[in-house]
Amino acid sequence: MKTGTVYYVNAGASRDGNGSKEMPFRRINEAAKIAMPGDEILVAPGIYREYVNPVNAGTEENRIVYRSEEPLGAVITGAEVLTGWTHYQDNVWTARVDNGVFGSYNPYTTYVCGDWYFAPTVRHTGAVFMNDLMMYETVTLEECIRGEADPCAWNKKESTFKWYTEQDGDVTVLYANFQGADPNSEKIEISVRRNCFMPDKTGVGYITVSGFDIQKAATTWAPPAAYQDGMIGPHWSKGWIIEDCEISNSKCCGISLGKYRDPENDMYFYTKHVKSPTQMERDAVCRGQYHGWLKENVGSHIIRRCNVHHCEQTGIVGRMGGVFSTIEDCHIHHICNSQQLGGAETAGIKLHAAIDVTIRRNHIHDCIMGVWCDWQAQGARITQNLMYHNQKPEGTEHAKGAMFNTDVFIEVGHGPTLIDNNLLLSRVSVTIPSQGIACVHNLMLGSFSLINSGVDSVVNGQREPRYTPYHIRHRTEVAGFMTILHGDDRIYNNIFVQQYPVTDDSKKPTDADYQVAGTAPFDIFPTYEEWIGNFMIGEEPNMGALAQYHFGHLPVWVEGNAYFKGASVCKHEKHHLIDNDSDVQVELSEKDGKCILKTNLCSLLSGFADGIITSDTLGCAFEPEERFENPDGTSITFDSDYAGNHRGLSTVPGPFAEGTADEIQVW
């Protein structure tokens, strides 16, 4: 590792300098133009209203490091202060902005739209902020003047702060309802830039971004078969580290870990219409190989200790570019709460092709979904996370185009996907229209949903299977495509509590909002013995005779779980604990900035134990023929609990080792 040059940046410097300590640059991007491997850019506290476009890549041995001298003291923002508001009517004020300030990208003529966007195309990528609150856009000036609460918004009071825009020649005209506040006495900003810190070309790898406050960019909708932008991201490169940052108030996505830009495939369905959306996605995967989608070139990023919040599509998004990455110790919250945007790409974390991705020790709450791994979650591990309130508040209407709510959603993947040692406390815990899933040592207060559902469509009176890829073990190269057969799941040593009342008996496990906790939805799948017996017909295999089994359900394994307050039990399970009589307490509270779980579950488990689960217990996911193992191919022994405490020779169900206290600090 070489010692590089240290460049200094200070927005408060009296004049532009040369990057020395005595004469610092005033803009981070000046350093980004010249920084080379091994260099460090030290940024003084201040507000940096600029787009940082790193030109040169670092190397694995000599990274380029951008560091805020004071944690969160350096603010990189895509917004500009807007003054000179004049009173229009009632609580509404107006201001005018010359379009020349936007350059080639005007967020107030650019709409949020594209593939997999299901809400009406009426929202712009720009936004108006009052004292850091992203205000709500209206479709008409009359709606802005009324300033009424949005019945679909998760925060009704915030939704009364409205804005509206229209064009007058070369001028953007803004109207805003500040609910009695004088905008000339408040901090009013509008988002102007599309990104804050993101290279405009691919292959700019091995960058570290540490300790910045990154906020308020006019990002665009980021579906999987399109260029995905965010306020910050590596843009199809390798080895970035984004750490100790606050990422907030993106119109769409906060951090983007995907995707290459491909004009021939970008927003293909939205612009050309002629291929089915899933065929477009398959094309994008295969074209990725042409764009260098290999372990040696792309992914292996680290996102750690970041506070990601108040983004209206996702906190962290990625298609293919996030492979082999780790997202850890982050606080991700209040994502897609305005409900002004809607579509199939909304979650705290939304990843396609989460190959060997580890999502661990994160605190994820008040998001439309917690973690959504869509397609190719092969080798993904979701572990030691705290998730709750990932559901719309009571009495909130469902917005047009909005998705359902869940803590963890694994969609049309072939596995192996591992969900272990998590606290999943929302109404729906795990949604799996997939196969090859293992749930081990979790506490689930909600249900499983979309079991044996949510995959294929019926078009022109016939079933249209959704074929999705699987990969060479621990690589990106495609090994094959197959539809989802369902099953191939392992449910070991979990605690299920019927915490939420069942208010609709008509809901089925095939529904996204199924209400019954527990494992009975897996009754429809065979045991391994039942399944394998179908292939033992005759001395030689008969393709025709076996076809019905090649496309039939895969087996499941369910053992060692504990069930409370009426949670349902799979008929295949032999060794389990059922307690429908005890007064179960599970209560999460905040105390001195810490999350405390109060529960008596540990005492109710006394006397019930099971064996330690290992990779050998779980075996291989069927289609990719890959073990439930670490990304380096080594075995996993589940002898550490949610907090890292050691499990002994025998173990109790749930995320806590035997002997854990009834009041537990979980964040």
PDB file of all heavy atoms in Angstrom, residues 456-483:
ATOM      1  N   ASP A 456     -46.477 -17.304 -11.395  1.00  0.00           N
ATOM      2  CA  ASP A 456     -46.885 -17.386 -12.794  1.00  0.00           C
ATOM      3  C   ASP A 456     -48.146 -16.569 -13.053  1.00  0.00           C
ATOM      4  O   ASP A 456     -48.902 -16.247 -12.139  1.00  0.00           O
ATOM      5  CB  ASP A 456     -47.137 -18.849 -13.183  1.00  0.00           C
ATOM      6  CG  ASP A 456     -45.894 -19.702 -12.984  1.00  0.00           C
ATOM      7  OD1 ASP A 456     -44.782 -19.146 -13.051  1.00  0.00           O
ATOM      8  OD2 ASP A 456     -46.041 -20.919 -12.755  1.00  0.00           O
ATOM      9  N   SER A 457     -48.370 -16.254 -14.311  1.00  0.00           N
ATOM     10  CA  SER A 457     -49.571 -15.539 -14.725  1.00  0.00           C
ATOM     11  C   SER A 457     -50.398 -16.436 -15.641  1.00  0.00           C
ATOM     12  O   SER A 457     -49.877 -17.360 -16.270  1.00  0.00           O
ATOM     13  CB  SER A 457     -49.200 -14.254 -15.478  1.00  0.00           C
ATOM     14  OG  SER A 457     -48.417 -13.403 -14.673  1.00  0.00           O
ATOM     15  N   VAL A 458     -51.679 -16.151 -15.717  1.00  0.00           N
ATOM     16  CA  VAL A 458     -52.550 -16.813 -16.689  1.00  0.00           C
ATOM     17  C   VAL A 458     -52.887 -15.785 -17.765  1.00  0.00           C
ATOM     18  O   VAL A 458     -53.513 -14.759 -17.492  1.00  0.00           O
ATOM     19  CB  VAL A 458     -53.826 -17.352 -16.028  1.00  0.00           C
ATOM     20  CG1 VAL A 458     -54.756 -17.935 -17.089  1.00  0.00           C
ATOM     21  CG2 VAL A 458     -53.479 -18.405 -14.982  1.00  0.00           C
ATOM     22  N   VAL A 459     -52.425 -16.039 -18.980  1.00  0.00           N
ATOM     23  CA  VAL A 459     -52.597 -15.117 -20.098  1.00  0.00           C
ATOM     24  C   VAL A 459     -53.184 -15.888 -21.275  1.00  0.00           C
ATOM     25  O   VAL A 459     -52.735 -17.004 -21.583  1.00  0.00           O
ATOM     26  CB  VAL A 459     -51.243 -14.478 -20.496  1.00  0.00           C
ATOM     27  CG1 VAL A 459     -51.447 -13.490 -21.646  1.00  0.00           C
ATOM     28  CG2 VAL A 459     -50.600 -13.778 -19.306  1.00  0.00           C
ATOM     29  N   ASN A 460     -54.171 -15.301 -21.921  1.00  0.00           N
ATOM     30  CA  ASN A 460     -54.837 -15.966 -23.046  1.00  0.00           C
ATOM     31  C   ASN A 460     -55.327 -17.363 -22.662  1.00  0.00           C
ATOM     32  O   ASN A 460     -55.285 -18.305 -23.459  1.00  0.00           O
ATOM     33  CB  ASN A 460     -53.898 -16.055 -24.257  1.00  0.00           C
ATOM     34  CG  ASN A 460     -53.501 -14.691 -24.782  1.00  0.00           C
ATOM     35  OD1 ASN A 460     -54.275 -13.734 -24.695  1.00  0.00           O
ATOM     36  ND2 ASN A 460     -52.290 -14.575 -25.310  1.00  0.00           N
ATOM     37  N   GLY A 461     -55.741 -17.485 -21.407  1.00  0.00           N
ATOM     38  CA  GLY A 461     -56.304 -18.747 -20.952  1.00  0.00           C
ATOM     39  C   GLY A 461     -55.290 -19.821 -20.639  1.00  0.00           C
ATOM     40  O   GLY A 461     -55.671 -20.974 -20.381  1.00  0.00           O
ATOM     41  N   GLN A 462     -54.028 -19.509 -20.678  1.00  0.00           N
ATOM     42  CA  GLN A 462     -53.026 -20.523 -20.373  1.00  0.00           C
ATOM     43  C   GLN A 462     -51.998 -19.982 -19.386  1.00  0.00           C
ATOM     44  O   GLN A 462     -51.779 -18.775 -19.292  1.00  0.00           O
ATOM     45  CB  GLN A 462     -52.313 -20.996 -21.644  1.00  0.00           C
ATOM     46  CG  GLN A 462     -51.472 -19.928 -22.339  1.00  0.00           C
ATOM     47  CD  GLN A 462     -50.833 -20.448 -23.615  1.00  0.00           C
ATOM     48  OE1 GLN A 462     -51.248 -21.464 -24.159  1.00  0.00           O
ATOM     49  NE2 GLN A 462     -49.815 -19.757 -24.089  1.00  0.00           N
ATOM     50  N   ARG A 463     -51.369 -20.898 -18.652  1.00  0.00           N
ATOM     51  CA  ARG A 463     -50.375 -20.532 -17.657  1.00  0.00           C
ATOM     52  C   ARG A 463     -49.089 -20.126 -18.350  1.00  0.00           C
ATOM     53  O   ARG A 463     -48.597 -20.818 -19.240  1.00  0.00           O
ATOM     54  CB  ARG A 463     -50.131 -21.722 -16.723  1.00  0.00           C
ATOM     55  CG  ARG A 463     -49.044 -21.511 -15.685  1.00  0.00           C
ATOM     56  CD  ARG A 463     -49.042 -22.689 -14.701  1.00  0.00           C
ATOM     57  NE  ARG A 463     -47.870 -22.684 -13.844  1.00  0.00           N
ATOM     58  CZ  ARG A 463     -46.783 -23.406 -14.053  1.00  0.00           C
ATOM     59  NH1 ARG A 463     -46.721 -24.185 -15.132  1.00  0.00           N
ATOM     60  NH2 ARG A 463     -45.777 -23.354 -13.221  1.00  0.00           N
ATOM     61  N   GLU A 464     -48.546 -18.985 -17.935  1.00  0.00           N
ATOM     62  CA  GLU A 464     -47.280 -18.495 -18.479  1.00  0.00           C
ATOM     63  C   GLU A 464     -46.234 -18.528 -17.362  1.00  0.00           C
ATOM     64  O   GLU A 464     -46.199 -17.649 -16.512  1.00  0.00           O
ATOM     65  CB  GLU A 464     -47.440 -17.080 -19.025  1.00  0.00           C
ATOM     66  CG  GLU A 464     -48.385 -16.960 -20.210  1.00  0.00           C
ATOM     67  CD  GLU A 464     -47.866 -17.663 -21.452  1.00  0.00           C
ATOM     68  OE1 GLU A 464     -46.651 -17.962 -21.506  1.00  0.00           O
ATOM     69  OE2 GLU A 464     -48.674 -17.920 -22.368  1.00  0.00           O
ATOM     70  N   PRO A 465     -45.414 -19.564 -17.317  1.00  0.00           N
ATOM     71  CA  PRO A 465     -44.435 -19.682 -16.228  1.00  0.00           C
ATOM     72  C   PRO A 465     -43.415 -18.548 -16.249  1.00  0.00           C
ATOM     73  O   PRO A 465     -43.031 -18.056 -17.319  1.00  0.00           O
ATOM     74  CB  PRO A 465     -43.750 -21.024 -16.515  1.00  0.00           C
ATOM     75  CG  PRO A 465     -44.670 -21.749 -17.438  1.00  0.00           C
ATOM     76  CD  PRO A 465     -45.345 -20.685 -18.247  1.00  0.00           C
ATOM     77  N   ARG A 466     -42.998 -18.159 -15.065  1.00  0.00           N
ATOM     78  CA  ARG A 466     -41.972 -17.116 -14.945  1.00  0.00           C
ATOM     79  C   ARG A 466     -40.622 -17.802 -14.721  1.00  0.00           C
ATOM     80  O   ARG A 466     -40.242 -18.095 -13.601  1.00  0.00           O
ATOM     81  CB  ARG A 466     -42.304 -16.160 -13.807  1.00  0.00           C
ATOM     82  CG  ARG A 466     -41.272 -15.054 -13.655  1.00  0.00           C
ATOM     83  CD  ARG A 466     -41.788 -13.752 -13.082  1.00  0.00           C
ATOM     84  NE  ARG A 466     -42.649 -13.863 -11.937  1.00  0.00           N
ATOM     85  CZ  ARG A 466     -42.654 -12.979 -10.921  1.00  0.00           C
ATOM     86  NH1 ARG A 466     -41.822 -11.956 -10.931  1.00  0.00           N
ATOM     87  NH2 ARG A 466     -43.502 -13.103  -9.927  1.00  0.00           N
ATOM     88  N   TYR A 467     -39.917 -18.029 -15.789  1.00  0.00           N
ATOM     89  CA  TYR A 467     -38.606 -18.657 -15.688  1.00  0.00           C
ATOM     90  C   TYR A 467     -37.577 -17.633 -15.212  1.00  0.00           C
ATOM     91  O   TYR A 467     -37.482 -16.532 -15.762  1.00  0.00           O
ATOM     92  CB  TYR A 467     -38.183 -19.229 -17.044  1.00  0.00           C
ATOM     93  CG  TYR A 467     -38.941 -20.474 -17.423  1.00  0.00           C
ATOM     94  CD1 TYR A 467     -40.141 -20.388 -18.134  1.00  0.00           C
ATOM     95  CD2 TYR A 467     -38.488 -21.726 -17.039  1.00  0.00           C
ATOM     96  CE1 TYR A 467     -40.854 -21.536 -18.469  1.00  0.00           C
ATOM     97  CE2 TYR A 467     -39.191 -22.875 -17.367  1.00  0.00           C
ATOM     98  CZ  TYR A 467     -40.367 -22.771 -18.080  1.00  0.00           C
ATOM     99  OH  TYR A 467     -41.079 -23.901 -18.401  1.00  0.00           O
ATOM    100  N   THR A 468     -36.816 -18.009 -14.195  1.00  0.00           N
ATOM    101  CA  THR A 468     -35.776 -17.128 -13.668  1.00  0.00           C
ATOM    102  C   THR A 468     -34.453 -17.879 -13.612  1.00  0.00           C
ATOM    103  O   THR A 468     -34.422 -19.113 -13.529  1.00  0.00           O
ATOM    104  CB  THR A 468     -36.141 -16.600 -12.271  1.00  0.00           C
ATOM    105  OG1 THR A 468     -36.363 -17.709 -11.388  1.00  0.00           O
ATOM    106  CG2 THR A 468     -37.393 -15.742 -12.323  1.00  0.00           C
ATOM    107  N   PRO A 469     -33.342 -17.154 -13.638  1.00  0.00           N
ATOM    108  CA  PRO A 469     -32.042 -17.821 -13.722  1.00  0.00           C
ATOM    109  C   PRO A 469     -31.520 -18.300 -12.379  1.00  0.00           C
ATOM    110  O   PRO A 469     -31.891 -17.801 -11.323  1.00  0.00           O
ATOM    111  CB  PRO A 469     -31.133 -16.720 -14.292  1.00  0.00           C
ATOM    112  CG  PRO A 469     -31.795 -15.444 -13.934  1.00  0.00           C
ATOM    113  CD  PRO A 469     -33.256 -15.701 -13.800  1.00  0.00           C
ATOM    114  N   TYR A 470     -30.649 -19.284 -12.450  1.00  0.00           N
ATOM    115  CA  TYR A 470     -29.785 -19.641 -11.333  1.00  0.00           C
ATOM    116  C   TYR A 470     -28.360 -19.735 -11.877  1.00  0.00           C
ATOM    117  O   TYR A 470     -28.143 -19.704 -13.089  1.00  0.00           O
ATOM    118  CB  TYR A 470     -30.240 -20.933 -10.648  1.00  0.00           C
ATOM    119  CG  TYR A 470     -30.445 -22.116 -11.556  1.00  0.00           C
ATOM    120  CD1 TYR A 470     -29.437 -23.064 -11.744  1.00  0.00           C
ATOM    121  CD2 TYR A 470     -31.647 -22.298 -12.220  1.00  0.00           C
ATOM    122  CE1 TYR A 470     -29.621 -24.149 -12.585  1.00  0.00           C
ATOM    123  CE2 TYR A 470     -31.843 -23.386 -13.057  1.00  0.00           C
ATOM    124  CZ  TYR A 470     -30.824 -24.310 -13.235  1.00  0.00           C
ATOM    125  OH  TYR A 470     -31.006 -25.384 -14.059  1.00  0.00           O
ATOM    126  N   HIS A 471     -27.392 -19.837 -10.982  1.00  0.00           N
ATOM    127  CA  HIS A 471     -26.020 -19.524 -11.370  1.00  0.00           C
ATOM    128  C   HIS A 471     -25.033 -20.603 -10.942  1.00  0.00           C
ATOM    129  O   HIS A 471     -25.314 -21.417 -10.049  1.00  0.00           O
ATOM    130  CB  HIS A 471     -25.606 -18.181 -10.754  1.00  0.00           C
ATOM    131  CG  HIS A 471     -26.469 -17.048 -11.209  1.00  0.00           C
ATOM    132  ND1 HIS A 471     -26.154 -16.234 -12.260  1.00  0.00           N
ATOM    133  CD2 HIS A 471     -27.684 -16.616 -10.768  1.00  0.00           C
ATOM    134  CE1 HIS A 471     -27.111 -15.336 -12.450  1.00  0.00           C
ATOM    135  NE2 HIS A 471     -28.056 -15.560 -11.553  1.00  0.00           N
ATOM    136  N   ILE A 472     -23.875 -20.588 -11.588  1.00  0.00           N
ATOM    137  CA  ILE A 472     -22.755 -21.399 -11.118  1.00  0.00           C
ATOM    138  C   ILE A 472     -22.479 -21.012  -9.664  1.00  0.00           C
ATOM    139  O   ILE A 472     -22.527 -19.838  -9.309  1.00  0.00           O
ATOM    140  CB  ILE A 472     -21.507 -21.155 -11.989  1.00  0.00           C
ATOM    141  CG1 ILE A 472     -21.807 -21.484 -13.464  1.00  0.00           C
ATOM    142  CG2 ILE A 472     -20.318 -21.951 -11.462  1.00  0.00           C
ATOM    143  CD1 ILE A 472     -22.152 -22.931 -13.717  1.00  0.00           C
ATOM    144  N   ARG A 473     -22.204 -21.982  -8.827  1.00  0.00           N
ATOM    145  CA  ARG A 473     -22.036 -21.718  -7.393  1.00  0.00           C
ATOM    146  C   ARG A 473     -21.020 -20.609  -7.131  1.00  0.00           C
ATOM    147  O   ARG A 473     -19.872 -20.663  -7.605  1.00  0.00           O
ATOM    148  CB  ARG A 473     -21.609 -22.996  -6.669  1.00  0.00           C
ATOM    149  CG  ARG A 473     -22.714 -24.033  -6.579  1.00  0.00           C
ATOM    150  CD  ARG A 473     -22.294 -25.211  -5.723  1.00  0.00           C
ATOM    151  NE  ARG A 473     -21.295 -26.042  -6.388  1.00  0.00           N
ATOM    152  CZ  ARG A 473     -21.577 -27.042  -7.212  1.00  0.00           C
ATOM    153  NH1 ARG A 473     -22.837 -27.321  -7.507  1.00  0.00           N
ATOM    154  NH2 ARG A 473     -20.619 -27.761  -7.747  1.00  0.00           N
ATOM    155  N   HIS A 474     -21.465 -19.597  -6.380  1.00  0.00           N
ATOM    156  CA  HIS A 474     -20.625 -18.477  -5.941  1.00  0.00           C
ATOM    157  C   HIS A 474     -20.018 -17.714  -7.120  1.00  0.00           C
ATOM    158  O   HIS A 474     -18.936 -17.134  -7.014  1.00  0.00           O
ATOM    159  CB  HIS A 474     -19.519 -18.961  -4.997  1.00  0.00           C
ATOM    160  CG  HIS A 474     -20.044 -19.754  -3.839  1.00  0.00           C
ATOM    161  ND1 HIS A 474     -20.912 -19.213  -2.914  1.00  0.00           N
ATOM    162  CD2 HIS A 474     -19.839 -21.050  -3.475  1.00  0.00           C
ATOM    163  CE1 HIS A 474     -21.215 -20.154  -2.018  1.00  0.00           C
ATOM    164  NE2 HIS A 474     -20.586 -21.265  -2.345  1.00  0.00           N
ATOM    165  N   ARG A 475     -20.741 -17.694  -8.228  1.00  0.00           N
ATOM    166  CA  ARG A 475     -20.332 -16.939  -9.418  1.00  0.00           C
ATOM    167  C   ARG A 475     -21.565 -16.233  -9.988  1.00  0.00           C
ATOM    168  O   ARG A 475     -22.692 -16.441  -9.554  1.00  0.00           O
ATOM    169  CB  ARG A 475     -19.752 -17.885 -10.483  1.00  0.00           C
ATOM    170  CG  ARG A 475     -18.537 -18.679 -10.064  1.00  0.00           C
ATOM    171  CD  ARG A 475     -17.289 -17.830 -10.027  1.00  0.00           C
ATOM    172  NE  ARG A 475     -17.051 -17.165 -11.309  1.00  0.00           N
ATOM    173  CZ  ARG A 475     -16.022 -16.340 -11.539  1.00  0.00           C
ATOM    174  NH1 ARG A 475     -15.146 -16.082 -10.564  1.00  0.00           N
ATOM    175  NH2 ARG A 475     -15.851 -15.762 -12.705  1.00  0.00           N
ATOM    176  N   THR A 476     -21.339 -15.403 -11.019  1.00  0.00           N
ATOM    177  CA  THR A 476     -22.449 -14.742 -11.701  1.00  0.00           C
ATOM    178  C   THR A 476     -22.858 -15.450 -12.989  1.00  0.00           C
ATOM    179  O   THR A 476     -23.946 -15.180 -13.505  1.00  0.00           O
ATOM    180  CB  THR A 476     -22.073 -13.291 -12.062  1.00  0.00           C
ATOM    181  OG1 THR A 476     -20.904 -13.314 -12.905  1.00  0.00           O
ATOM    182  CG2 THR A 476     -21.792 -12.472 -10.811  1.00  0.00           C
ATOM    183  N   GLU A 477     -22.005 -16.313 -13.531  1.00  0.00           N
ATOM    184  CA  GLU A 477     -22.343 -16.964 -14.786  1.00  0.00           C
ATOM    185  C   GLU A 477     -23.635 -17.770 -14.634  1.00  0.00           C
ATOM    186  O   GLU A 477     -23.812 -18.511 -13.669  1.00  0.00           O
ATOM    187  CB  GLU A 477     -21.205 -17.883 -15.241  1.00  0.00           C
ATOM    188  CG  GLU A 477     -19.945 -17.147 -15.665  1.00  0.00           C
ATOM    189  CD  GLU A 477     -18.976 -16.902 -14.522  1.00  0.00           C
ATOM    190  OE1 GLU A 477     -19.411 -16.917 -13.339  1.00  0.00           O
ATOM    191  OE2 GLU A 477     -17.789 -16.682 -14.793  1.00  0.00           O
ATOM    192  N   VAL A 478     -24.529 -17.613 -15.615  1.00  0.00           N
ATOM    193  CA  VAL A 478     -25.830 -18.273 -15.566  1.00  0.00           C
ATOM    194  C   VAL A 478     -25.664 -19.766 -15.816  1.00  0.00           C
ATOM    195  O   VAL A 478     -25.031 -20.182 -16.794  1.00  0.00           O
ATOM    196  CB  VAL A 478     -26.785 -17.653 -16.599  1.00  0.00           C
ATOM    197  CG1 VAL A 478     -28.090 -18.437 -16.664  1.00  0.00           C
ATOM    198  CG2 VAL A 478     -27.058 -16.194 -16.255  1.00  0.00           C
ATOM    199  N   ALA A 479     -26.247 -20.574 -14.923  1.00  0.00           N
ATOM    200  CA  ALA A 479     -26.190 -22.024 -15.076  1.00  0.00           C
ATOM    201  C   ALA A 479     -27.443 -22.567 -15.743  1.00  0.00           C
ATOM    202  O   ALA A 479     -27.411 -23.637 -16.363  1.00  0.00           O
ATOM    203  CB  ALA A 479     -26.006 -22.689 -13.713  1.00  0.00           C
ATOM    204  N   GLY A 480     -28.570 -21.852 -15.617  1.00  0.00           N
ATOM    205  CA  GLY A 480     -29.807 -22.319 -16.220  1.00  0.00           C
ATOM    206  C   GLY A 480     -30.971 -21.424 -15.860  1.00  0.00           C
ATOM    207  O   GLY A 480     -30.828 -20.468 -15.082  1.00  0.00           O
ATOM    208  N   PHE A 481     -32.125 -21.692 -16.441  1.00  0.00           N
ATOM    209  CA  PHE A 481     -33.371 -20.991 -16.151  1.00  0.00           C
ATOM    210  C   PHE A 481     -34.426 -22.027 -15.798  1.00  0.00           C
ATOM    211  O   PHE A 481     -34.482 -23.096 -16.394  1.00  0.00           O
ATOM    212  CB  PHE A 481     -33.851 -20.188 -17.362  1.00  0.00           C
ATOM    213  CG  PHE A 481     -33.033 -18.973 -17.677  1.00  0.00           C
ATOM    214  CD1 PHE A 481     -31.850 -19.080 -18.393  1.00  0.00           C
ATOM    215  CD2 PHE A 481     -33.440 -17.711 -17.261  1.00  0.00           C
ATOM    216  CE1 PHE A 481     -31.098 -17.963 -18.691  1.00  0.00           C
ATOM    217  CE2 PHE A 481     -32.694 -16.592 -17.554  1.00  0.00           C
ATOM    218  CZ  PHE A 481     -31.513 -16.713 -18.271  1.00  0.00           C
ATOM    219  N   MET A 482     -35.282 -21.690 -14.854  1.00  0.00           N
ATOM    220  CA  MET A 482     -36.363 -22.599 -14.492  1.00  0.00           C
ATOM    221  C   MET A 482     -37.472 -21.816 -13.819  1.00  0.00           C
ATOM    222  O   MET A 482     -37.203 -20.796 -13.163  1.00  0.00           O
ATOM    223  CB  MET A 482     -35.851 -23.696 -13.554  1.00  0.00           C
ATOM    224  CG  MET A 482     -36.871 -24.769 -13.236  1.00  0.00           C
ATOM    225  SD  MET A 482     -37.565 -25.556 -14.727  1.00  0.00           S
ATOM    226  CE  MET A 482     -38.808 -26.606 -14.031  1.00  0.00           C
ATOM    227  N   THR A 483     -38.691 -22.277 -13.973  1.00  0.00           N
ATOM    228  CA  THR A 483     -39.790 -21.685 -13.235  1.00  0.00           C
ATOM    229  C   THR A 483     -39.722 -22.148 -11.781  1.00  0.00           C
ATOM    230  O   THR A 483     -38.910 -22.998 -11.420  1.00  0.00           O
ATOM    231  CB  THR A 483     -41.146 -22.071 -13.853  1.00  0.00           C
ATOM    232  OG1 THR A 483     -42.175 -21.322 -13.221  1.00  0.00           O
ATOM    233  CG2 THR A 483     -41.430 -23.558 -13.685  1.00  0.00           C
TER     234      THR A 483
END
